[in-house]
Amino acid sequence: MYKVFFAKDSSKYILNYFEKYRIYYENLFQDSWIWSENQIIKLYIDDALNRHNELKDLIVKTLKEEKVFWRTNENSLVITWRTKSIFLDFDENLDLKQRYVINISIR
């Protein structure tokens, strides 16, 4: 089993992605004249947090295994998550059994 770490840029990318998701739905339902708009907005805030945790858990679960299937020689990998494809590049230290997510893109 490998330990998985996220580089500052990759963590920032994931945080920004879900912050934009949250803000989009907050703005969509703000002043919508729906009687339960606060509940709907809270559900989207909670969903953004849950999706963030789900994505990070998926990446860690994939990279912590001894053999990472479908990876390239340059340590690139594509993971399917919900309807999205997660493209990531990682670096590894075989002696310390550590992998570092250095670049990520969600499409």
Side-chain angles (χ1 to χ4, degrees):
M1 293 285 192
Y2 281 78
K3 289 186 179 181
V4 180
F5 300 97
F6 290 84
K8 185 187 268 188
D9 291 341
S10 59
S11 287
K12 190 175 178 181
Y13 179 89
I14 294 171
L15 283 172
N16 287 339
Y17 182 85
F18 290 109
E19 183 178 354
K20 288 177 185 176
Y21 173 87
R22 178 187 54 79
I23 289 171
Y24 172 80
Y25 284 105
E26 280 183 28
N27 291 337
L28 183 65
F29 288 103
Q30 217 165 28
D31 296 330
S32 63
W33 292 79
I34 298 175
W35 67 272
S36 61
E37 75 181 25
N38 288 335
Q39 291 174 333
I40 294 170
I41 290 171
K42 178 161 180 9
L43 286 173
Y44 278 107
I45 291 170
D46 293 342
D47 189 47
L49 180 61
N50 289 338
R51 286 175 181 244
H52 174 267
N53 294 334
E54 182 184 329
L55 178 63
K56 281 196 135 177
D57 289 345
L58 175 67
I59 293 170
V60 169
K61 180 182 166 191
T62 303
L63 290 179
K64 76 177 183 180
E65 297 299 324
E66 288 291 325
K67 294 188 184 227
V68 178
F69 295 109
W70 308 109
R71 74 189 234 182
T72 65
N73 290 338
E74 295 85 32
N75 288 340
S76 294
L77 180 66
V78 178
I79 304 172
T80 303
W81 173 68
R82 295 187 181 214
T83 60
K84 305 288 186 191
S85 294
I86 313 301
F87 296 85
L88 50 94
D89 299 321
F90 63 95
D91 197 10
E92 62 186 346
N93 185 329
L94 298 175
D95 297 331
L96 297 175
K97 290 196 154 261
Q98 296 176 342
R99 290 193 174 124
Y100 305 91
V101 178
I102 52 177
N103 191 17
I104 187 167
S105 176
I106 303 171
R107 299 181 199 162

